[in-house]
Amino acid sequence: MQLMSEKGAAGGGLRERKKRATRAALAEAAVRLAAEHGAEKVTVEAISAAAGVSVRTFFNYFDSRDEAFVVIDADAGARMRRAVLEAPAELSPLAALREAMAAELAEAEQQHELWRLHAEVLHASPHLLARGVGAHMAAEADLADAIALRLRGDGGIGGPGGNGGDGPGLYPRLLAAVAGAAVRTSMDHWSAHQEEAAFLDVFHEVFTLLAAGLPAPSA
């Protein structure tokens, strides 16, 4: 699942906000058209028309039609990476990642329908699903790199858990993967129990359990 946050789009100058809004409108149009008609039947022209822009504008934001189906918000990963690196030094890596993700998920309840349609579109098309998995893995790797950089800034931890060899190291990679699983678990649970709690409450509960070391619940 790729993240999209209107709150995140609120930052930056007017020109940047307009660019983010245009990209979001194109991605949403692509997903909704694909969910209704099937991705293979949706053209760039149809996506552009639904978003109220020209085909030329479409290609200012996406290299291909398929990219519009796969990546809802290409800037989300960069925003989370920056948030992890700029989080207060007193926060643990898990807490820094939690806050970065929470900022992107602030509009999760409003975006839930679009995310559901996005998942349906990907699962209905094997080649789009493969691209989606690749995009998710790349985003996770970027987060792991940010965690490793944050740890090095705190003095580094070295060895197999830090960034002492090739790649970000075991701990950053595990933390990024676990955080991604926590988001999916939070969304799945909230989707089935929407009347019981707000999404962000579920999200924070999941991260509280992670921070506590996943103790077994009492009988």
Side-chain angles (χ1 to χ4, degrees):
M1 173 180 60
Q2 300 297 306
L3 306 177
M4 178 164 67
S5 169
E6 294 299 325
K7 182 178 180 180
L14 178 60
R15 184 169 180 270
E16 186 62 28
R17 293 199 299 272
K18 287 182 175 179
K19 287 173 62 177
R20 288 176 181 172
T22 299
R23 195 185 201 287
L26 283 165
E28 180 170 353
V31 168
R32 291 190 182 280
L33 287 170
E36 182 177 356
H37 303 290
E40 71 283 353
K41 295 181 181 179
V42 177
T43 64
V44 169
E45 289 77 9
I47 296 169
S48 302
V53 301
S54 68
V55 170
R56 180 178 179 180
T57 297
F58 175 93
F59 285 110
N60 287 337
Y61 294 90
F62 300 100
D63 292 331
S64 67
R65 182 200 65 164
D66 284 358
E67 186 180 341
F69 299 136
V70 173
V71 182
I72 292 180
D73 185 354
D75 297 327
R79 290 195 299 269
M80 285 193 290
R81 177 185 173 95
R82 185 166 57 250
V84 167
L85 292 173
E86 295 177 354
E90 63 269 17
L91 290 184
S92 68
L94 177 63
L97 191 50
R98 179 197 66 210
E99 294 306 303
M101 288 181 156
E104 291 299 320
L105 292 163
E107 308 295 332
E109 294 185 27
Q110 293 89 329
Q111 297 291 343
H112 178 244
E113 182 207 5
L114 181 61
W115 290 351
R116 178 182 59 79
L117 293 177
H118 181 239
E120 291 177 1
V121 169
L122 295 189
H123 282 86
S125 176
H127 83 280
L128 290 180
L129 181 60
R131 288 193 63 167
V133 170
H136 171 77
M137 292 177 66
E140 188 176 287
D142 284 344
L143 273 182
D145 285 338
I147 294 164
L149 286 171
R150 181 178 176 86
L151 289 169
R152 288 213 305 273
D154 290 337
I157 58 179
N163 196 30
D166 295 334
L170 178 61
Y171 176 84
R173 294 167 83 175
L174 178 60
L175 180 53
V178 168
V183 171
R184 291 191 298 274
T185 300
S186 300
M187 183 59 72
D188 288 346
H189 182 84
W190 174 79
S191 296
H193 303 86
Q194 295 183 34
E195 70 286 353
E196 297 178 8
F199 169 75
L200 283 180
D201 290 338
V202 176
F203 171 84
H204 283 291
E205 181 180 356
V206 167
F207 271 79
T208 296
L209 290 171
L210 287 178
L214 289 178
S218 57

